[in-house]
Amino acid sequence: MPGFLLEVGTEELPASFLSDAIKQWRSRIPQSLAANSLTSESVEVYGTPRRLAVLITGLPSGQPDREEEIKGPPAQAAFKDGQPTQAAVGFAKRQGVELEALEVRATDKGEFVFVQKKTPGRPVADILTELVPEWIYNLEGKRLMRWGDGDVRFSRPIRWLVALLDEAILPLELVNGSLTVKSDRTSYGHRVLHPAPITIPQASDYVNTLRSGYVAVDANERQATIQAQVQATVQKLDGYTEMYPDLLEEVTNLVEWPSPVVGKFEAEFLNLPTEVTTTVMVSHQRYFPVFKTGDNQELLPYFITVSNGDPTKSEIIAVGNERVIRARLADGQFFYKTDLSKSLESYLPQLETVTFQEDLGSLRAKVERIVKIAAQITSQLQLGESESQHIHRAALLCKADLVTQMVFEFPELQGIMGQKYAVASGESTEVATAIFEHYLPRGADDILPQTLTGQVVGLADRLDTLVSIFGLGLIPSGSSDPFALRRAANAVVNVTWAANLQINLATLLQQIAADFTTQYNKELAPLIKALNEFFLQRIRTLLQEEKQIDYDLVNAVLGENDEEYQARALENLLDVRDRALYLQQIRHDGTLDKIYETVNRSTRLAAQGDLDTAQLDPTSVVNPQLFQKPSESAFYDALVQLVPQTQQAQESRNYQLLVAGLENIAPTVSKFFDGAESVLVIDPDPDIKRNRLNLLGLLRNHARVLADFGAIVKNL
């Protein structure tokens, strides 16, 4: 079965584009083949800085023939007096068949003309000729460019094209204005190690042929090689390094034939904070730092680069790298000394000169809002004077490092340098740590703040951003979220959950939004509605995706268009989390099945009554004198006993107490519904009917303390 090779040769591609392009082709090319009725044994996508390639094996020689039944006009319109009309002639002509091929068949709507049409499959070469340009031109990426005098857009100019169907060249042309790139079997090796053209005999020889030209086309192979080389090199230096995932992926896509190069820098730069030096190396120079120990706290005066040059010239390459890193570290040293010449607090006035958002004023104004919101959270948590002072101070200083020279040059160090400058300025450990922690988590996989001060200041910062940006009407839509508001809201919920902070989010949003709308003359109600809906969606997503709670159980604790449950969730984030986790637990251990039928049956019937959902005590809404069966009295007595259990469960969030009570009451309710003591709930006497519906409504209300059982799907 034929194999097909496509290689698109280019000028050096950006590492980010190459990574995305490989992912796109891995997904789209198999889909494209399937859409054209082509099967394959494998589709391997390769990429280096100078090429993007796909090798497809096990292709058929062509599409299979297709037979399809095509329905034509009604028989009455197609034939008259046994002779074909113009309708039949036109239908046969359109389908490319003779009139004799038409058949008349009965259908539910009468007799119609049909034809069995056989479409021969096209040769695979013809199909690939059409598909290849689509694969190339449909690649998406940032900052695609035009070159030459044509309108073709690609990440970098296309210089050559290899297209082989087994050993035969598949004739293709990429036309870009006056420039035409024709397919051939000629590729190119490594720019330095093998600059001469390389002839590829047949598609299956691609990987080995390019390897002979010092090009490892498989990105996974290059990455494994780099990891092994760096680890072996760092061991020779008696040190350790970290395989930063983003750095490893980037350098993999920057080289075709990797080789490690060791560089050195002066020991005096070891006096810089480790974070500064590693930021320079990793983020700016794409070097692997060398640490003295495995905890990555202390550096050795070495670094490792992954070169795409001639390994025999490593010493020359190292000298160039050392010159660059020396200059960068010298800059860092100057910034650090200059910044330390002033206290962190002295930078606060400069925040007036930095705009947070054009309609929201300066960073200094944002800091004032953070201080106020942090005080509101402090009040809710009923914290003592010492903790309150730490929170106030950290909130005041949390953005001060943004106007230091170091953070201006290296924005990645925000918070990190703030912590160090706070310590140097004599601030308390609690305040310094919080300045760093209030940015946490910085991403989906990042750590969460561990100190209460850092947690509160971080919440205040994010809540200010959310309310302010929402207040301007800049609400995320689709995939567009330029202010990372989804991430901010996720952080608010996750930090609250992880630290078990007893905050009332609904009240906080109301307070912050009221201040905003007063200052900016906006309407309060629409802003609160938008914020509440946004947070409820974030809670729903986090429960399902991060806590792995079944969707119906999430519906049960958040309610489906149930304002009572929605308000409850925003008022107590810990409670909605605990209820969801507990429901998942009792589903797994089978307890949910024991109470499900009882509660659901009661809930469905109770909907015919008028009892409000807050009532729990039967003594004020049920009249025992109207009882006609012992099962009613037993039901009533069981509800009376259930009240303190439910109240205790509410107060302690120990919902096991409530479920145990519901388990105990289940047999009593079963007798109420079925058997010799059963009653007719919908009794002709309206007072008896209401009395019985109230019994069921009370049971529903007790269960609602945990969840809306009507939203739960049995035996999911």
Side-chain angles (χ1 to χ4, degrees):
M1 300 177 77
F4 175 65
L5 168 67
L6 170 67
E7 183 188 64
V8 182
T10 67
E11 299 293 345
E12 270 70 6
L13 296 165
S16 59
F17 174 82
L18 181 59
S19 180
D20 289 343
I22 290 173
K23 292 174 185 175
Q24 290 177 52
W25 269 14
R26 282 176 178 163
S27 170
R28 294 177 182 177
I29 290 179
Q31 295 174 5
S32 176
L33 294 174
N36 284 273
S37 302
L38 293 178
T39 59
S40 64
E41 292 178 359
S42 67
V43 177
E44 298 292 340
V45 180
Y46 303 113
T48 79
R50 297 180 68 202
R51 72 204 74 229
L52 186 64
V54 60
L55 178 61
I56 307 171
T57 63
L59 284 167
S61 57
Q63 292 173 319
D65 295 341
R66 287 185 298 121
E67 282 197 21
E68 54 184 330
E69 184 178 77
I70 300 175
K71 183 180 178 182
Q76 285 184 334
F79 295 97
K80 187 173 183 180
D81 298 329
Q83 297 299 314
T85 65
Q86 189 59 41
V89 173
F91 174 63
K93 185 176 181 180
R94 287 194 302 274
Q95 302 307 321
V97 299
E98 300 295 330
L99 285 169
E100 291 77 12
L102 301 184
E103 301 178 20
V104 176
R105 297 184 193 169
T107 71
D108 294 340
K109 297 181 179 180
E111 292 186 331
F112 281 80
V113 171
F114 288 84
V115 64
Q116 287 291 121
K117 185 178 179 181
K118 184 174 182 179
T119 305
R122 299 172 61 204
V124 68
D126 292 351
I127 300 171
L128 290 172
T129 301
E130 295 176 359
L131 294 181
V132 166
E134 296 178 8
W135 297 346
I136 298 171
Y137 295 145
N138 289 342
L139 281 171
E140 300 170 2
K142 297 178 181 178
R143 296 183 293 277
L144 298 181
M145 62 177 291
R146 293 187 177 92
W147 73 98
D149 57 357
D151 294 326
V152 171
R153 294 170 60 86
F154 202 69
S155 181
R156 291 295 183 269
I158 296 173
R159 297 306 190 200
W160 74 86
L161 191 66
V162 175
L164 297 177
L165 191 59
D166 281 341
E167 69 280 354
I169 296 172
L170 185 72
L172 293 170
E173 288 187 355
L174 299 180
V175 180
N176 183 25
S178 60
L179 174 68
T180 299
V181 181
K182 296 184 178 181
S183 60
D184 202 341
R185 65 173 72 250
T186 302
S187 181
Y188 292 85
H190 193 280
R191 278 197 187 275
V192 176
L193 300 175
H194 194 292
I198 295 177
T199 300
I200 303 174
Q202 58 182 4
S204 59
D205 295 333
Y206 178 63
V207 174
N208 289 332
T209 302
L210 267 291
R211 185 177 283 114
S212 69
Y214 295 96
V215 175
V217 295
D218 189 336
N220 293 328
E221 176 190 326
R222 291 199 307 280
Q223 186 172 101
T225 299
I226 291 169
Q227 284 183 286
Q229 289 176 339
V230 171
Q231 292 294 358
T233 303
V234 80
Q235 287 177 12
K236 293 178 182 178
L237 298 171
D238 292 327
Y240 300 82
T241 194
E242 180 178 342
M243 285 295 163
Y244 303 91
D246 291 344
L247 174 61
L248 180 60
E249 181 179 11
E250 185 174 12
V251 297
T252 296
N253 290 329
L254 288 172
V255 299
E256 294 195 314
W257 195 256
S259 60
V261 175
V262 176
K264 301 177 183 179
F265 58 88
E266 286 74 10
E268 66 181 274
F269 294 123
L270 294 175
N271 295 324
L272 276 170
T274 299
E275 294 88 348
V276 173
T277 309
T278 55
T279 296
V280 170
M281 291 183 185
V282 175
S283 300
H284 293 260
Q285 300 306 127
R286 305 182 185 93
Y287 300 165
F288 289 92
V290 180
F291 296 96
K292 183 177 290 188
T293 58
D295 60 6
N296 295 359
Q297 295 297 311
E298 191 174 354
L299 286 165
L300 291 173
Y302 301 105
F303 58 89
I304 301 170
T305 63
V306 179
S307 170
N308 193 41
D310 185 345
T312 64
K313 303 294 193 298
S314 291
E315 292 185 7
I316 298 174
I317 296 170
V319 169
N321 290 336
E322 290 167 356
R323 187 182 303 115
V324 174
I325 197 74
R326 187 179 297 114
R328 297 291 283 174
L329 292 177
D331 287 344
Q333 194 174 58
F334 173 78
F335 298 146
Y336 187 52
K337 289 179 180 179
T338 303
D339 290 342
L340 285 175
S341 66
K342 299 195 301 182
S343 69
L344 185 61
E345 185 175 12
S346 67
Y347 288 98
L348 287 177
Q350 289 180 242
L351 292 176
E352 293 279 6
T353 65
V354 182
T355 301
F356 167 57
Q357 200 276 343
E358 58 182 352
D359 295 318
L360 297 173
S362 67
L363 274 176
R364 186 71 181 91
K366 179 174 176 61
V367 166
E368 291 174 0
R369 296 194 299 269
I370 293 173
V371 169
K372 183 174 183 179
I373 297 167
Q376 293 168 339
I377 299 172
T378 300
S379 176
Q380 280 198 11
L381 295 175
Q382 299 180 337
L383 301 179
E385 183 178 351
S386 176
E387 288 177 317
S388 299
Q389 289 176 349
H390 288 147
I391 290 170
H392 174 83
R393 187 67 176 169
L396 182 67
L397 298 175
C398 68
K399 303 297 181 185
D401 68 331
L402 296 181
V403 289
T404 63
Q405 292 195 47
M406 183 71 82
V407 176
F408 180 81
E409 182 69 19
F410 304 115
E412 309 94 322
L413 294 174
Q414 64 180 11
I416 296 171
M417 298 313 300
Q419 179 181 20
K420 296 186 181 301
Y421 293 154
V423 171
S425 300
E427 301 292 341
S428 68
T429 302
E430 290 84 357
V431 170
T433 302
I435 291 172
F436 164 68
E437 285 191 334
H438 92 282
Y439 285 107
L440 303 178
R442 292 159 295 193
D445 300 323
D446 200 9
I447 59 174
L448 296 173
Q450 299 301 304
T451 68
L452 180 59
T453 306
Q455 291 156 0
V456 172
V457 176
L459 291 178
D461 182 16
R462 291 177 174 91
L463 288 171
D464 169 68
T465 298
L466 283 157
V467 173
S468 300
I469 300 301
F470 264 72
L472 297 178
L474 304 176
I475 300 174
S477 60
S479 60
S480 175
D481 188 6
F483 294 95
L485 299 183
R486 293 188 183 94
R487 188 171 68 190
N490 285 350
V492 169
V493 177
N494 276 327
V495 169
T496 303
W497 282 348
N500 287 312
L501 298 178
Q502 195 67 52
I503 63 170
N504 186 323
L505 180 60
T507 299
L508 283 173
L509 293 175
Q510 184 76 30
Q511 291 172 330
I512 302 166
D515 289 340
F516 176 87
T517 53
T518 299
Q519 181 178 354
Y520 290 91
N521 194 27
K522 303 282 187 179
E523 290 187 46
L524 179 60
L527 175 56
I528 289 294
K529 183 175 185 293
L531 287 165
N532 287 349
E533 290 176 351
F534 188 71
F535 267 103
L536 286 167
Q537 183 55 52
R538 294 297 91 209
I539 295 168
R540 182 180 298 277
T541 299
L542 291 173
L543 287 174
Q544 288 185 210
E545 296 182 1
E546 293 191 8
K547 300 296 184 184
Q548 298 295 299
I549 308 297
D550 295 336
Y551 79 92
D552 64 319
L553 302 184
V554 175
N555 289 339
V557 296
L558 287 178
E560 296 180 293
N561 300 317
D562 189 316
E563 293 184 2
E564 180 182 332
Y565 276 117
Q566 292 173 354
R568 183 177 169 187
L570 295 172
E571 289 165 4
N572 195 329
L573 294 175
L574 305 184
D575 180 65
V576 72
R577 174 203 63 186
D578 291 351
R579 288 186 292 122
L581 290 171
Y582 184 61
L583 278 174
Q584 192 72 49
Q585 175 190 325
I586 63 174
R587 165 167 279 170
H588 287 159
D589 67 21
T591 305
L592 183 59
D593 289 337
K594 298 177 183 178
I595 62 174
Y596 178 84
E597 288 294 349
T598 301
V599 173
N600 246 19
R601 190 173 182 184
S602 301
T603 299
R604 287 194 300 271
L605 282 167
Q608 300 184 42
D610 56 6
L611 185 69
D612 69 73
T613 57
Q615 182 62 252
L616 295 176
D617 185 4
T619 58
S620 59
V621 294
V622 176
N623 183 359
Q625 294 181 357
L626 295 176
F627 293 159
Q628 295 179 329
K629 295 285 185 72
S631 62
E632 293 176 274
S633 298
F635 195 172
Y636 177 84
D637 293 340
L639 286 171
V640 171
Q641 295 175 19
L642 185 58
V643 171
Q645 282 183 268
T646 301
Q647 291 173 338
Q648 188 177 352
Q650 282 179 307
E651 293 168 1
S652 64
R653 298 205 313 272
N654 180 3
Y655 293 104
Q656 186 175 355
L657 295 172
L658 171 58
V659 170
L662 293 175
E663 278 193 86
N664 290 335
I665 205 174
T668 302
V669 179
S670 294
K671 292 180 181 178
F672 179 83
F673 281 129
D674 305 305
E677 297 181 10
S678 64
V679 301
L680 178 65
V681 175
I682 311 302
D683 194 272
D685 185 321
D687 292 333
I688 294 175
K689 170 186 172 182
R690 189 170 189 270
N691 213 43
R692 291 170 178 170
L693 286 173
N694 282 352
L695 285 170
L696 297 173
L698 287 164
L699 180 59
R700 172 203 62 197
N701 292 353
H702 282 272
R704 274 182 63 86
V705 169
L706 175 59
D708 175 9
F709 276 70
I712 298 175
V713 179
K714 185 180 180 183
N715 296 325
L716 185 68

